[in-house]
Amino acid sequence: MSDRIINDVESMKKFRDGLIDTIEDLREQLKNTEVAIEDVAKTWKDSQFVKFKEGFDKDKEKINPLCEKIKEFEEDVLLPLENILRRYLDL
């Protein structure tokens, strides 16, 4: 294992931006999937679909808290570290 410190501000910024994009994409995809499932639920009422929808609804409840935790990590950990690194490197 390496004991070197990563001090590439642009890589950190790119990583943070990627996390933010991932959160936005995940929330958008969740919204689109919810709409699609609700449309299907209007006509498809067999037991397998009901079971699938219940599983989706259960999993869906985990996505927003996960997005919030990722956002908090980006804002509360990575952004301050990037700012410290910028000051250290005098950027």
Side-chain angles (χ1 to χ4, degrees):
M1 177 160 301
S2 175
D3 58 352
R4 291 179 286 153
I5 298 174
I6 297 172
N7 61 4
D8 183 349
V9 175
E10 289 308 312
S11 292
M12 184 173 287
K13 172 103 175 81
K14 185 177 178 182
F15 180 66
R16 285 184 41 252
D17 290 345
L19 286 177
I20 293 168
D21 290 345
T22 298
I23 292 168
E24 291 170 0
D25 292 348
L26 185 56
R27 286 183 172 156
E28 183 65 28
Q29 186 59 47
L30 177 62
K31 186 172 79 173
N32 293 340
T33 304
E34 284 178 302
V35 169
I37 288 176
E38 290 305 317
D39 284 346
V40 170
K42 293 174 186 171
T43 57
W44 200 1
K45 306 224 184 250
D46 73 343
S47 62
Q48 285 301 101
F49 178 75
V50 170
K51 185 177 175 183
F52 167 78
K53 186 174 180 322
E54 288 171 354
F56 173 76
D57 289 341
K58 194 176 195 180
D59 290 343
K60 179 176 71 173
E61 293 173 8
K62 298 175 186 174
I63 292 175
N64 280 326
L66 174 63
C67 288
E68 284 304 310
K69 291 214 178 273
I70 294 170
K71 185 178 180 212
E72 287 172 13
F73 179 74
E74 186 275 326
E75 290 174 345
D76 298 342
V77 177
L78 294 179
L79 179 58
L81 284 175
E82 181 182 324
N83 290 334
I84 290 168
L85 185 55
R86 285 181 183 281
R87 283 192 305 270
Y88 175 76
L89 296 173
D90 199 26
L91 297 177

